[in-house]
Amino acid sequence: MSISGAGGMSATYDRIGIGYRHVRRPDPRLAELVHRALGGARTVVDVGAGAGSYEPTDAEVTAVDPSQVMLDQHPGPKKVLASAEHLPFEDNAFDAAMAVMTVHHWNDLRGGLRELRRVSRRQTVFTWDPEHQPELWLIDEYLPEIRDLEHARFTPLSDVVEALGAHTVLPFPVPHDFTDGFQIAYWRRPEHYLDPVVRQASSTFAQLPPSLVEPAMARLRADLESGAWRHRHADLLEREHMDYGYRLVVAGEEEPCAA
């Protein structure tokens, strides 16, 4: 079932979504965190669903996304073309709502979060806190332009928590072998940033002009070939996880939904 929603925002992922699922493979450790937070919900709306990463397999899921390109890659039977700010559902239509790495794309963050609270009894939002330190080495050493872009897109975690009326905030230190190829995934595997297919699956990279990205990647390639990167970041190579500010925010019903 595919339902067209009102509104006409041109979605970023209409441009970058081709081949997205090949790079953005759900990581089982993040999936476990999200599924526990959903509390056994039987009906779930996934807002900004994309290709369906992290959706529970034991629930009836309705996928919502403003990008038809992304919905075309979604494997589920219930798909709705709509924006987070205008969800075409009745109040409390779902046991739970989920939103994974999407709130930074919404035109109206608070409006979208209000809609999550309106249509569900429990809300789970996975996002990134731009005020967290440390930041990824890629930004300081190669592409400082990412900092301005990300800080313009992401709302401080405290604002998300307040807008949702959240009762729980769970940290997610990123494993060194994280399979979901968003920007932070390769903090210990820098050679992956040299792959244009990997970069294209990141909305941040996809919005930067080649005139910035290509010289930066040339510098990274040279540092990898000379061993300079490894020398500077020998401490990272000993770590299994890094906390770069990714958090799962949970609001609404505190008791698990009935199974």
Side-chain angles (χ1 to χ4, degrees):
M1 175 179 68
S2 181
I3 305 172
S4 295
M9 182 181 74
S10 177
T12 298
Y13 285 91
D14 277 340
R15 180 165 51 88
I16 75 169
I18 304 299
Y20 181 89
R21 293 187 69 190
H22 297 297
V23 176
R24 301 294 297 271
R25 293 177 291 115
D27 188 276
R29 291 153 293 193
L30 179 54
E32 181 182 1
L33 185 71
V34 172
H35 295 172
R36 285 204 312 266
L38 289 172
R42 290 175 295 187
T43 58
V44 176
V45 59
D46 185 4
V47 179
S53 299
Y54 306 107
E55 293 175 355
T57 58
D58 58 350
E60 179 184 297
V61 178
T62 299
V64 176
D65 202 280
S67 166
Q68 188 63 54
V69 170
M70 296 309 299
L71 285 180
D72 288 345
Q73 298 185 64
H74 192 287
K78 295 187 175 182
K79 296 182 277 192
V80 178
L81 186 67
S83 67
E85 299 88 345
H86 303 286
L87 297 177
F89 310 114
E90 296 181 357
D91 295 357
N92 295 317
F94 302 93
D95 291 336
M98 59 184 288
V100 176
M101 288 302 292
T102 181
V103 298
H104 55 291
H105 292 301
W106 298 357
N107 289 332
D108 177 3
L109 174 78
R110 288 184 175 270
L113 294 178
R114 276 197 305 271
E115 281 288 86
L116 258 63
R117 298 180 73 176
R118 181 184 66 80
V119 304
S120 66
R121 290 178 285 278
R122 185 179 181 88
Q123 301 83 42
T124 61
V125 173
F126 184 70
T127 188
W128 174 69
D129 185 4
E131 297 181 341
H132 181 85
Q133 292 292 328
E135 65 183 3
L136 181 65
W137 52 264
L138 180 74
I139 298 171
D140 186 49
E141 297 173 19
Y142 299 98
L143 280 168
E145 294 84 3
I146 288 177
R147 184 181 298 114
D148 292 339
L149 177 60
E150 296 290 65
H151 283 243
R153 297 196 304 164
F154 280 88
T155 300
L157 182 71
S158 57
D159 289 358
V160 177
V161 171
E162 189 273 330
L164 271 180
H167 53 71
T168 303
V169 177
L170 302 171
F172 182 74
V174 181
H176 73 92
D177 55 351
F178 194 59
T179 64
D180 192 345
F182 56 82
Q183 180 188 290
I184 208 73
Y186 307 111
W187 60 268
R188 211 183 87 174
R189 296 170 289 167
E191 65 280 0
H192 286 270
Y193 292 115
L194 302 177
D195 186 342
V197 175
V198 168
R199 295 198 303 270
Q200 182 65 19
S202 163
S203 63
T204 300
F205 272 112
Q207 292 182 75
L208 292 174
S211 60
L212 287 175
V213 174
E214 290 174 4
M217 294 302 98
R219 294 195 301 274
L220 175 57
R221 184 184 299 277
D223 284 351
L224 291 173
E225 291 175 351
S226 70
W229 185 93
R230 178 175 289 268
H231 178 74
R232 286 199 303 271
H233 299 292
D235 59 320
L236 289 182
L237 299 176
E238 302 298 321
R239 300 187 66 110
E240 296 295 313
H241 304 80
M242 274 293 293
D243 185 356
Y244 281 114
Y246 289 84
R247 298 292 185 266
L248 185 69
V249 182
V250 187
E253 289 183 346
E254 295 196 46
E255 293 300 318
C257 302

